[in-house]
Amino acid sequence: MLSPLSNRTYRHLFGAQVVALAGTGLLTVALGLLAYDLAGADAGAVLGTALAIKMVAYVGIAPVVGAFADRLPRRAFLVATDLVRAAVALCLPFVTEPWQVYLLVFVLQSASAAFTPTFQATIPDVLPDETEYTKALSLARLAYDLESLASPALAAALLAVVSYHDLFAGTMIGFMGSALMVVTARLPDPKAVDHRGGIHDRITRGIRIYLKTPRLLGLLALNGAVAAAGAMVIVNTVVLVRGTLGGTDSDVAAVLAAYGAGSMAVAFLLPRLLERLSTRRVMLAGGWLLAVGTLVMAAILGGGGLPAHLPAALPSLLPVWFVLGAANSAVLTPSGRLLRRSAHSEDRPAVFAAQFALSHACWLVAYPLAGWLGSGAGLAAAFAVLGTLAATSVALAARLWPTGDPVEVEHVHGPLGHEHLHVHDEHHQHGHEGWEGPEPHAHPHRHGPIRHTHALVIDRHHSEWPRGG
């Protein structure tokens, strides 16, 4: 699984991801302590608002950036967003009011919404071989999981010798380190694209490609299942362990560690597993496990099957969290393969941005739903509702994502007239008058009707997915 690291460019990008994640982990801890300093007992409201602002930034900013990412030099753009995030981290220790936190969080998360999809869309160009790219996806998942486990421990060790304000300096160093790793990598620039149409057309291009591709519609439904089950883990683990079972902060960390361990175990297995099983089968299986694990917790809590004290409850709790973590990884880790298959390289930034925005829109719904139901109706009811939502989402995914899902699809083009950059290929066979210039060139031209088979993606020549394809 480590073979992608032999590629110098990917090795630098992976290093950038790791150090940026370490900085982000320190930021999470420091923000919680800052919120408590500013608001005391109302710190939860401050953090909740900051989390909502983060999701709004992700949903709103990513498609806009994805629309114009093909016009920007990737390396300079990624470095600039890292520097913005570092500058915000440097400002955070000096805030004195919650509104200042909200403003800075919005700026920082807007920069993250610009950085992450562009970064993700670069990896398929650096690693064009699907096997190597699959291994890179697993490495990325391991990095995320290790960050979730290691960052709290690192923060705790640092807090033993420094104040929490110094954690923001660690965050800044993480983002500066990421910028340094990116600036030393040789990144392929996106291909020049001639997208006729206005700003609205460019901003919505990624989402239009996404919503017209059946396998990506299935991915969107699976995103709903991931958010439903994941929100219960993230929002209500502390409520269950501390409130219901009377555990400690260390117990919360141990239960979340089981979730991370499940995710890492699957990330290790996926490269070989995906050589034997289809991506669709693996991801749907992960989705069903998410739904089942969440509903099992509802049954345990509703039936009084969980012991009242934590030590006796752990044999029931830890396996469920391990399975939920494994299922989460089975769905999320291969998703990049679907995005890579579903767009031309020049459209990938927009499609990755669409995935980033739409998946976080699911979280924007699931987070408050998990919190409100957990506090208002009880944890058993919350697990039941979110588990049912996850199961419904997976069933919808199985229906939207066709069985087989071939790469090459036989389809018919009707007659079409338009203008765009092109070279003479199977789509473009027409006469010239001499003024059109060297290829690629743009001029009005017409396509006659044609039936053929090739790897199909939504683009200028394929505005709709063929029925039955």
Side-chain angles (χ1 to χ4, degrees):
M1 197 173 68
L2 299 178
S3 60
L5 295 174
S6 63
N7 181 301
R8 180 182 182 276
T9 299
Y10 176 72
R11 187 166 63 247
H12 281 236
L13 292 178
F14 183 71
Q17 181 185 29
V18 169
V19 295
L21 283 173
T24 302
L26 295 180
L27 176 68
T28 301
V29 175
L31 270 179
L33 296 171
L34 175 63
Y36 189 80
D37 251 9
L38 294 176
D42 293 327
V46 173
L47 281 177
T49 303
L51 184 62
I53 289 172
K54 170 183 175 179
M55 292 301 162
V56 169
Y58 281 3
V59 172
I61 298 298
V64 178
V65 173
F68 299 97
D70 60 276
R71 296 185 176 183
L72 302 170
R74 281 177 173 168
R75 183 165 60 180
F77 180 68
L78 291 172
V79 170
T81 55
D82 264 336
L83 294 179
V84 169
R85 297 194 291 180
V88 171
L90 191 61
C91 293
L92 278 167
F94 303 103
V95 304
T96 57
E97 299 291 336
W99 70 264
Q100 296 168 343
V101 175
Y102 303 151
L103 178 62
L104 289 172
V105 165
F106 180 78
V107 175
L108 188 148
Q109 301 303 346
S110 295
S112 293
F115 177 93
T116 304
T118 307
F119 179 91
Q120 292 172 337
T122 303
I123 304 303
D125 292 338
V126 174
L127 298 172
D129 179 75
E130 186 169 50
T131 300
E132 292 298 289
Y133 179 57
T134 301
K135 294 176 183 178
L137 292 175
S138 290
L139 284 171
R141 172 50 47 188
L142 284 173
Y144 280 111
D145 292 332
L146 286 172
E147 180 274 323
S148 67
L149 294 174
S151 289
L154 176 61
L158 289 173
L159 287 172
V161 293
V162 300
S163 76
Y164 77 83
H165 288 96
D166 295 313
L167 296 185
F168 290 114
T171 298
M172 183 196 69
I173 292 170
F175 290 137
M176 292 294 291
S178 173
L180 180 63
M181 296 299 289
V182 171
V183 83
T184 56
R186 297 178 180 177
L187 302 187
D189 279 329
K191 293 181 180 179
V193 186
D194 176 28
H195 287 298
R196 310 272 167 168
I199 292 177
H200 177 267
D201 179 75
R202 292 183 62 84
I203 291 174
T204 60
R205 183 177 78 253
I207 290 178
R208 283 186 283 111
I209 293 172
Y210 194 107
L211 297 180
K212 290 183 177 182
T213 305
R215 71 177 71 93
L216 296 186
L217 286 174
L219 175 59
L220 178 57
L222 287 171
N223 286 333
V226 167
M232 287 303 300
V233 171
I234 294 170
V235 173
N236 286 319
T237 296
V238 65
V239 178
L240 177 62
V241 174
R242 290 291 308 272
T244 304
L245 300 174
T248 65
D249 289 345
S250 297
D251 296 324
V252 173
V255 174
L256 289 176
Y259 183 83
S263 183
M264 287 190 288
V266 169
F268 273 115
L269 293 173
L270 271 176
R272 288 191 176 183
L273 191 62
L274 289 170
E275 291 177 1
R276 302 178 182 181
L277 300 174
S278 70
T279 306
R280 180 182 186 273
R281 179 177 293 184
V282 170
M283 292 179 69
L284 287 177
W288 284 120
L289 278 177
L290 284 171
V292 169
T294 309
L295 291 172
V296 164
M297 279 307 303
I300 291 174
L301 291 171
L306 199 65
H309 299 289
L310 187 68
L314 286 179
S316 299
L317 204 57
L318 293 181
V320 175
W321 256 241
F322 182 91
V323 168
L324 287 174
N328 181 75
S329 185
V331 175
L332 288 184
T333 304
S335 61
R337 288 163 57 106
L338 302 189
L339 299 169
R340 176 180 178 270
R341 283 180 54 191
S342 300
H344 296 302
S345 60
E346 60 268 26
D347 286 328
R348 281 183 193 143
V351 173
F352 273 84
Q355 160 69 1
F356 191 80
L358 292 171
S359 62
H360 283 93
C362 295
W363 286 96
L364 190 57
V365 173
Y367 272 138
L369 190 59
W372 295 338
L373 284 172
S375 61
L379 290 181
F383 274 104
V385 172
L386 272 297
T388 301
L389 180 59
T392 304
S393 298
V394 180
L396 182 61
R399 182 175 179 84
L400 292 171
W401 188 351
T403 304
D405 187 25
V407 174
E408 296 190 345
V409 179
E410 183 179 13
H411 56 283
V412 176
H413 293 271
L416 174 67
H418 58 185
E419 178 179 348
H420 65 93
L421 281 174
H422 66 275
V423 297
H424 279 198
D425 55 19
E426 62 177 334
H427 288 293
H428 305 90
Q429 296 294 334
H430 46 251
H432 283 166
E433 298 175 6
W435 56 267
E436 296 85 357
E439 298 179 1
H441 55 207
H443 59 81
H445 59 278
R446 185 171 179 80
H447 301 272
I450 184 175
R451 175 188 292 271
H452 60 178
T453 301
H454 61 78
L456 182 66
V457 298
I458 298 296
D459 58 15
R460 185 171 295 276
H461 295 110
H462 310 86
S463 58
E464 300 290 340
W465 200 266
R467 293 183 179 180

